[in-house]
Amino acid sequence: FYFMHIPKTAGTSLARVIEKQFEASEILPNRARMDAEFEGHYPSTVRMSNAFSVSDFANCRLLRGHFPLAARTEFAQPPVVLTMLRDPFARGLSQLRHMTREQSRTVDELACDQLISRSFVRDFQLKLFVLNPESCAQNGELFEISTHAKLTRADLERGQQLLSEIEWFGIQERFDDSIRLLCHRFGWPEPTSNPQLNRAKKEEPLADETRRKLESLVELDREFYAFACEEFDRRFRAAFG
């Protein structure tokens, strides 16, 4: 299994559900090693290759991290891909608000920073689906991989095709339904309650200019997300009627 954890999509909550289906020794990186060796965060591909042994990878049944879909090409056998998507505007805004806690700048200031907004917001989810393996090989960190190139409608069509081919994906705005479909798909027990971790506190209203800026950066991602919602609904109805 490969859990492609897209930032700010309830991935931490989803990870808690997924990791219960595996032994800690079968997960790379497992929570204990993340806390002990990587300050509680996912390591880069470079740090992973240095920290884990050949036997660690041989015993791995669940690989997870902030990596693009193209990272699945590193597996000896094609893995089962799991991921969660979110409304692109909400995801991008959540990303910037998270960054304000690490930087002495406001959301409005970050949104106007072209390097940051193009790397962390612009069609971000679609970007992670269509990023090519060569870019993954040349860079170790997800955020370094985040290309500034503007995507095209051909990229959108390719992303939609790739999404339709993966075994399971969820929609954050339908989190409970997503977990239900996940457990149904793989025969896992449904949790009695679904965790809601890393939930953001209530934030200050967003300036109209910033809202327009962010909306303009996620136009293709919105179409990608709309396609995902339709595909998710089709799969959910096929499973449960």
Side-chain angles (χ1 to χ4, degrees), residues 127-170:
K127 190 187 305 180
L128 296 185
F129 268 79
V130 301
L131 196 70
N132 62 54
E134 288 73 23
S135 296
C136 294
Q138 294 168 7
N139 299 278
E141 300 279 3
L142 169 86
F143 298 141
E144 293 174 359
I145 292 171
S146 300
T147 176
H148 297 176
K150 192 170 183 178
L151 301 183
T152 66
R153 298 204 66 80
D155 292 315
L156 173 61
E157 293 174 3
R158 179 166 173 259
Q160 291 171 335
Q161 180 62 38
L162 289 169
L163 180 68
S164 68
E165 292 171 357
I166 69 174
E167 288 79 358
W168 178 89
F169 66 89

Side-chain angles (χ1 to χ4, degrees), residues 28 53-61:
L28 285 186
S53 67
V54 173
S55 62
D56 286 330
F57 284 101
N59 294 330
C60 176
R61 293 186 56 224

Side-chain angles (χ1 to χ4, degrees), residues 112-228:
C112 291
D113 185 319
Q114 290 194 2
L115 177 63
I116 289 176
S117 62
R118 290 178 181 179
S119 295
F120 296 95
V121 178
R122 185 163 72 180
D123 296 328
F124 188 82
Q125 295 172 117
L126 175 59
K127 190 187 305 180
L128 296 185
F129 268 79
V130 301
L131 196 70
N132 62 54
E134 288 73 23
S135 296
C136 294
Q138 294 168 7
N139 299 278
E141 300 279 3
L142 169 86
F143 298 141
E144 293 174 359
I145 292 171
S146 300
T147 176
H148 297 176
K150 192 170 183 178
L151 301 183
T152 66
R153 298 204 66 80
D155 292 315
L156 173 61
E157 293 174 3
R158 179 166 173 259
Q160 291 171 335
Q161 180 62 38
L162 289 169
L163 180 68
S164 68
E165 292 171 357
I166 69 174
E167 288 79 358
W168 178 89
F169 66 89
I171 301 293
Q172 180 183 343
E173 289 76 10
R174 294 183 63 180
F175 188 82
D176 288 349
D177 285 345
S178 296
I179 298 303
R180 185 183 178 196
L181 185 60
L182 172 68
C183 294
H184 172 81
R185 172 66 180 81
F186 298 109
W188 296 343
E190 286 191 46
T192 54
S193 62
N194 291 321
Q196 297 291 307
L197 305 173
N198 286 359
R199 299 185 73 174
K201 298 178 181 179
K202 188 174 181 180
E203 304 281 358
E204 293 296 319
L206 193 64
D208 289 342
E209 183 178 349
T210 301
R211 181 176 296 277
R212 288 192 293 270
K213 170 70 173 176
L214 296 182
E215 290 282 9
S216 70
L217 289 169
V218 296
E219 291 178 354
L220 286 180
D221 226 2
R222 276 209 179 280
E223 291 190 55
F224 182 59
Y225 175 75
F227 174 86

